[in-house]
Amino acid sequence: MVFVERDEELHALGGLLGDATRGHGRAVLISGAIASGKTALLEALSHHALDSGALHLAATGAKAERELQLGVVDQLFRSVPLPADQAAHIAEIVTVDALLPGESELESRTLRQPEAHRIHQI
């Protein structure tokens, strides 16, 4: 794919990918108007990451899943083929029980200590 006027963005993202491979990863927010090329830019970065030997995990946050704790994390690890033992371990970590006895729906939106521990394990 050929990008028009995206060299600067691709270069910056490539630099961030290089930083991540050296242990200095960061979160990046890509925003723009509808049909401005955000998805194509992410796909180009994904191909570059895979070509460099990186493990590419992908997930999509959806409004319908916002009540599902660790749902996006679960998607991340289901997006790539993992060895069976690693896949089973990740599935065990991200499985969150339903509401605890006496817990309100509002409290369920807060990350509880067991879930925080799971995030650290991942």
Side-chain angles (χ1 to χ4, degrees):
M1 173 176 282
V2 177
F3 284 100
V4 177
E5 298 181 18
R6 290 288 189 229
D7 292 337
E8 186 177 326
E9 289 86 351
L10 286 171
H11 180 73
L13 290 170
L16 292 170
L17 177 61
D19 289 348
T21 62
R22 292 184 292 281
H24 303 287
R26 292 172 239 170
V28 176
L29 173 65
I30 297 176
S31 64
I34 295 173
S36 63
K38 298 179 298 291
T39 301
L41 190 62
L42 287 172
E43 287 176 358
L45 176 62
S46 298
H47 290 295
H48 180 67
L50 289 169
D51 291 345
S52 71
L55 176 63
H56 175 255
L57 305 176
T60 302
K63 187 175 181 179
E65 291 183 332
R66 71 180 181 195
E67 299 295 327
L68 181 60
Q69 291 184 6
L70 303 179
V72 171
V73 174
D74 187 42
Q75 283 184 49
L76 288 172
F77 290 100
R78 291 181 190 273
S79 69
V80 294
L82 294 174
D85 59 331
Q86 287 181 351
H89 183 64
I90 291 295
E92 181 181 317
I93 291 171
V94 300
T95 300
V96 179
D97 296 328
L99 292 177
L100 296 173
E103 185 176 38
S104 73
E105 194 63 37
L106 178 60
E107 291 169 329
S108 74
R109 295 181 186 167
T110 303
L111 195 63
R112 298 182 299 244
Q113 189 61 36
E115 287 79 32
H117 178 69
R118 289 180 173 124
I119 295 293
H120 289 286
Q121 285 181 315
I122 291 169

